[in-house]
Amino acid sequence: MTDSILSKAATMEIPINSNGDTRTAEDDSLEQGAQIGGSLDEIVGTLPVAMDLQQVMVSGPNLNETSIVSGGYGGAAEGIIPTSSIKDIRSKSRGITPSNSTASRIANQPGHYPAPSMHHSNSNPMMSEEATRGVAVEKFDSVKKWSINTYKCTKQMFSERFGRGTKTVDMELEAQIDVLRETKLKYECILRLARDLTNHFYNMVQTQQALGDTFADLSQKSPELQDEFGYNAETQRLLCKNGETLLGAINFFVSSINTLVNKTMEDTLMTIKMYENARLEFDAYRTDLEELSVGPRDAAAMMRIEMAQQQYQIQKDKYERLRSDVTIKLKFLDENKVKVMHKQLLLFHNAISAYFAGNQQQLEQTLRQFNVKLKPPGSDKPSWLEEQ
């Protein structure tokens, strides 16, 4: 009888009145936290329960020798929360680091994410900020210099075209540059015509070869005209062979002219273009210095004149250096052009004369004289390994 009464009393719900006589809010919070889970790790995962437990530690009864049981008296063993764990939570809420075992259990919780460290050094952000600022300043200065230089050069160019500005002219050097440009145009015409001749002559050689094969085939199938077809077949084969030799000489001529025009002359013209740009910049800064020199002579003006003088000297040195480079390159180009064209024109003349004269030995000797090596037949076709 007594046991049944005690069992019934243990499972009864005790209501909380407004005065808190029978049951306090701390007890409900403690029981609610105990019912959420049977382990400390699950309680730590819920912030509201941890905060309620903090209140229990401050105002609740002494739990040093007690334990919390979920599910009433006689509940399962996993519902027991050791008081040492609650002490760790209380210490953590007050800023005290828990013991190593408790900290390791909390860190190993799958749903637990460690808080980011707040003790970063401020030196790295400051250094990166200074480096970024330095790069930005450097780029700004570069764009500023480029804009000023472009403005001055554009102004000078329009002044020269409309006849309001003066231009530095080296008459002798300008005459040599004009001759080079005219020579390049004429040599480009020679190169274009030589390539056309090569293509036409190649087609003629292929036609002669096909015609010789046809004559040879007919000489075998036409006994009554065997000798006539045979003579013509041998003639076409000989012409085809000599034509291939002449094609080798013409190809060597075209290759040499192409190198002279599109590499040697083009390199000199690139240097001339750099020289002309330097001349325009030099005249632009010279004009700027002249305009500042006729103006007022206060402190700010004198500072601008000094800076303009420095820029003028820099552009003058650059202009004179490039003018010297152009003069040297024009001299070497002229010597190289004479040497190359002397050899190539002699080769072209001797090869054409020997071919149309039917002098096969003279034609072969001409190629040996100029070290022209012929490609063997079929060398232009890639091998079976290269086609794979």
Side-chain angles (χ1 to χ4, degrees):
M1 181 73 177
T2 305
D3 295 335
S4 62
I5 294 173
L6 290 175
S7 174
K8 184 177 181 179
T11 57
M12 287 177 62
E13 293 183 1
I14 303 176
I16 302 174
N17 53 28
S18 59
N19 296 328
D21 298 334
T22 307
R23 192 182 184 99
T24 63
E26 288 82 2
D27 295 337
D28 284 340
S29 300
L30 186 61
E31 184 176 355
Q32 182 181 359
Q35 291 178 356
I36 290 176
S39 64
L40 175 61
D41 298 334
E42 296 178 353
I43 297 176
V44 173
T46 59
L47 272 176
V49 177
M51 295 300 296
D52 292 338
L53 288 175
Q54 179 181 354
Q55 296 177 2
V56 171
M57 295 301 103
V58 175
S59 59
N62 187 9
L63 300 177
N64 291 333
E65 297 178 357
T66 61
S67 61
I68 301 173
V69 182
S70 63
Y73 297 102
E78 61 269 17
I80 301 176
I81 303 174
T83 57
S84 60
S85 301
I86 300 178
K87 290 180 181 180
D88 292 337
I89 298 175
R90 180 179 178 182
S91 301
K92 186 176 181 181
S93 65
R94 295 182 178 179
I96 303 174
T97 306
S99 60
N100 295 332
S101 59
T102 305
S104 62
R105 289 198 303 272
I106 295 175
N108 294 329
Q109 180 69 17
H112 176 265
Y113 296 94
S117 176
M118 302 300 294
H119 301 286
H120 293 289
S121 176
N122 295 329
S123 59
N124 292 335
M126 291 178 63
M127 293 176 61
S128 61
E129 183 178 356
E130 292 179 357
T132 305
R133 187 181 305 169
V135 173
V137 170
E138 183 179 354
K139 288 185 177 179
F140 177 77
D141 292 340
S142 177
V143 172
K144 182 180 178 181
K145 292 179 181 179
W146 175 83
S147 302
I148 294 174
N149 185 70
T150 303
Y151 168 74
K152 292 180 182 296
C153 293
T154 305
K155 180 181 177 182
Q156 177 66 24
M157 182 178 61
F158 279 103
S159 298
E160 292 176 1
R161 289 190 177 182
F162 288 104
R164 294 194 299 265
T166 58
K167 178 181 178 181
T168 303
V169 180
D170 188 338
M171 300 301 297
E172 182 180 358
L173 185 60
E174 292 294 333
Q176 293 178 3
I177 293 174
D178 292 340
V179 169
L180 172 60
R181 285 173 174 159
E182 292 178 0
T183 304
K184 186 174 183 292
L185 291 176
K186 294 178 180 179
Y187 276 47
E188 287 175 347
C189 182
I190 292 175
L191 180 62
R192 182 175 63 255
L193 294 175
R195 284 173 173 170
D196 292 341
L197 176 62
T198 304
N199 294 330
H200 296 325
F201 196 76
Y202 174 79
N203 293 329
M204 188 184 73
V205 170
Q206 294 297 318
T207 303
Q208 288 175 342
Q209 183 177 3
L211 187 60
D213 294 340
T214 304
F215 284 156
D217 182 63
L218 288 174
S219 66
Q220 299 293 331
K221 297 180 179 179
S222 303
E224 65 279 4
L225 297 174
Q226 182 176 4
D227 296 336
E228 289 79 1
F229 279 126
Y231 296 151
N232 283 277
E234 291 296 329
T235 302
Q236 295 300 322
R237 287 176 180 175
L238 180 61
L239 291 174
C240 181
K241 181 180 179 182
N242 294 339
E244 291 178 351
T245 306
L246 180 60
L247 276 176
I250 297 177
N251 285 329
F252 184 74
F253 175 81
V254 170
S255 176
S256 300
I257 299 298
N258 179 66
T259 302
L260 178 63
V261 172
N262 293 323
K263 292 186 178 180
T264 310
M265 290 185 178
E266 190 64 28
D267 178 70
T268 305
L269 288 175
M270 288 296 296
T271 307
I272 291 173
K273 185 176 180 180
M274 294 171 60
Y275 157 75
E276 292 176 345
N277 293 334
R279 197 276 313 161
L280 182 63
E281 292 179 356
F282 166 70
D283 285 337
Y285 282 93
R286 177 183 55 80
T287 303
D288 186 41
L289 179 61
E290 291 175 355
E291 292 177 355
L292 291 175
S293 299
V294 298
R297 294 287 180 165
D298 55 353
M302 293 301 297
M303 184 177 297
R304 288 195 297 270
I305 291 174
E306 184 179 357
M307 294 178 61
Q309 182 69 34
Q310 294 177 359
Q311 293 295 328
Y312 166 78
Q313 189 62 38
I314 293 174
Q315 297 300 328
K316 182 180 179 182
D317 295 340
K318 180 180 178 182
Y319 165 71
E320 291 179 351
R321 183 179 69 253
L322 286 173
R323 182 176 62 180
S324 177
D325 293 344
V326 170
T327 303
I328 294 173
K329 283 199 172 185
L330 285 173
K331 180 181 178 181
F332 284 134
L333 175 62
D334 188 65
E335 295 176 357
N336 187 31
K337 179 189 66 175
V338 172
K339 181 179 179 180
V340 170
M341 291 307 299
H342 175 75
K343 176 181 178 180
Q344 295 302 320
L345 290 174
L346 187 60
L347 166 67
F348 190 81
H349 173 267
N350 293 343
I352 292 291
S353 300
Y355 172 79
F356 284 100
N359 192 343
Q360 181 180 0
Q361 296 180 355
Q362 182 66 29
L363 181 61
E364 294 177 354
Q365 184 180 356
T366 300
L367 268 66
R368 289 194 298 268
Q369 178 184 355
F370 293 97
N371 297 322
V372 179
K373 296 181 180 180
L374 297 178
K375 295 181 180 180
S379 60
D380 295 336
K381 184 178 178 180
S383 64
W384 65 271
L385 185 60
E386 294 175 348
E387 292 178 352
Q388 300 299 322

